[in-house]
Amino acid sequence: MSQPPQPGEPEGQVPGPGVPQGQPYQQQPYPQSYPQQQGWYGAPQQPPQPPPSNKTALWVGLGVLGLVVVVAVVAITGFVAPGFFLSDSKSAGAVASSAPTSSGQETTTTQSPVQIPTERAPVPKRSAPLADPTECAYPADTGGEVPKKATPPAAGPTPASGTAAVTLKTTAGDIGLTLDRALAPCTVANFLSLAQQGYYDGTPCHRLATSGLQMLQCGDPAGTGMGGPGYTIPDEVFPEIKYGRGILAMAKTQAPNSGGSQFFMVFGEAELPPDYTVFGTISDAGLQVLDKVARGGLDESQGAGDGSGPPRIPVKFQSVAVG
C-alpha cells in the first residue's frame, strides 16, 4: 500500500513512516542520478580513398558487420544489467559483500559504506495543540491489499495528550518506541490497537533505504509494501514537521488519508515534505539496532529500482509489547 517517497517526491506506494510506500507505501521515490551512457558514434571521417577491390570490400563489409554485432551485444548488456555503464567513480571506496541468491548460490555485489549521522533530529511540535479529546474515524480501505485483516479502533473521541511506551521485539534486536498522542492521537490509537491484536507479530520489515532517505519501513504482513489492515487512518500532519534521526512516522500512498499499518523508522537523513504523520520517537538502543541493520546493507535486486530493498540483516517482529 504505501511507502515514504524519495526526496522530492516513508507508504511503499515503501516507504515510505515506506518508506515512513507504501520508504515512510509503495511510492518509494528516491531520485537517483546515474552517469550518462557514452554513445557510439562511429569512427572519424577519413579523406576520400580509391574505390576498393571486390575482395577488399568483402573483408571491410564483414568487419563492419562484426563491429555492429559487438556494439549491439554491449548495448543490450547495458540495458539488461543496470550499472553496466557506471563509471569507476561510482564505486570508489566501495566494499564488497556476498549474499545468497534465490537459488542458494552466492553472488558478490558492491555497496558503499553507509554514512549515518549521530545527532538526533528535533521532535516536531504543533504550534497549536489539538483539541483533547480529538475525534477519530477509520473508514474501510476499498483500494489496498489486505493480507491480514484487523479490527479498527473505536471511532469517536480519542485522547490527545500523554505518551505510550512500546517495544518492538525483532530478530535483529529490541527497538523501543515512545508514542506521542499530542502529535497524532488517531495514529497512536491505531498503532496500539494493532499491537494489542498481535497484528505485527511475525511480520517483516520489507524496505531499507540508506542513501538520501535513511529509514527502515515495516508493517505489511505480506512483506511487499502493498498491504494494510483493511481500513485507513487520517493524516495528522502540520507544516512544522521535519524528519531525521530518531523520528517514527507513518507510511502512506500518494493519496491523502491512506495510511494503515505501515510505518517507517528514520535512523539518518530524511528530506521529505511534511506529508507523513509523525507519531513518536525511537530509543537510543533502538537506533543502534537500526544502525546495525543499515550497515548490513540491502538487496537492491529485490527492490523497486529506487535504491531501496529488503535489508540483508532480516528484521522480523516476534512480538510488540505495550507498556
Side-chain angles (χ1 to χ4, degrees), residues 141-237:
D141 182 3
T142 58
E145 298 179 7
V146 187
K148 184 177 180 181
K149 191 172 179 59
T151 301
T158 303
S161 60
T163 61
V166 170
T167 301
L168 307 176
K169 296 183 178 297
T170 83
T171 53
D174 290 356
I175 302 173
L177 307 176
T178 299
L179 312 188
D180 189 344
R181 294 186 179 91
L183 288 174
C186 303
T187 303
V188 170
N190 175 63
F191 193 91
L192 293 175
S193 174
L194 290 174
Q196 290 164 346
Q197 292 180 59
Y199 182 85
Y200 291 122
D201 296 357
T203 65
C205 292
H206 62 277
R207 183 179 178 221
L208 173 68
T210 58
S211 178
L213 174 59
Q214 297 181 309
M215 62 90 207
L216 181 67
Q217 185 171 336
C218 317
D220 174 12
T224 64
M226 303 293 289
Y231 61 87
T232 59
I233 66 175
D235 293 338
E236 296 179 285
V237 296

Side-chain angles (χ1 to χ4, degrees), residues 12-179:
Q13 277 245 40
V14 159
V19 212
Q21 1 179 303
Q23 128 126 72
Y25 286 62
Q26 202 72 316
Q27 53 348 356
Q28 308 216 17
Y30 312 104
Q32 279 193 344
S33 57
Y34 294 94
Q36 294 185 353
Q37 301 179 6
Q38 300 299 318
W40 172 259
Y41 298 100
Q45 294 295 318
Q46 300 292 335
Q49 300 292 331
S53 65
N54 291 339
K55 185 174 181 180
T56 302
L58 174 62
W59 283 110
V60 170
L62 291 175
V64 171
L65 178 60
L67 180 60
V68 170
V69 170
V70 170
V71 171
V73 169
V74 171
I76 291 172
T77 305
F79 284 106
V80 172
F84 182 82
F85 286 104
L86 294 184
S87 65
D88 291 338
S89 61
K90 180 72 176 180
S91 59
V95 294
S97 62
S98 295
T101 64
S102 58
S103 63
Q105 297 176 337
E106 287 197 345
T107 180
T108 299
T109 58
T110 302
Q111 294 187 348
S112 299
V114 178
Q115 302 297 323
I116 302 175
T118 57
E119 185 175 353
R120 279 180 169 272
V123 180
K125 296 185 181 300
R126 290 181 176 272
S127 56
L130 294 170
D132 189 7
T134 289
E135 290 290 324
C136 296
Y138 308 92
D141 182 3
T142 58
E145 298 179 7
V146 187
K148 184 177 180 181
K149 191 172 179 59
T151 301
T158 303
S161 60
T163 61
V166 170
T167 301
L168 307 176
K169 296 183 178 297
T170 83
T171 53
D174 290 356
I175 302 173
L177 307 176
T178 299
L179 312 188

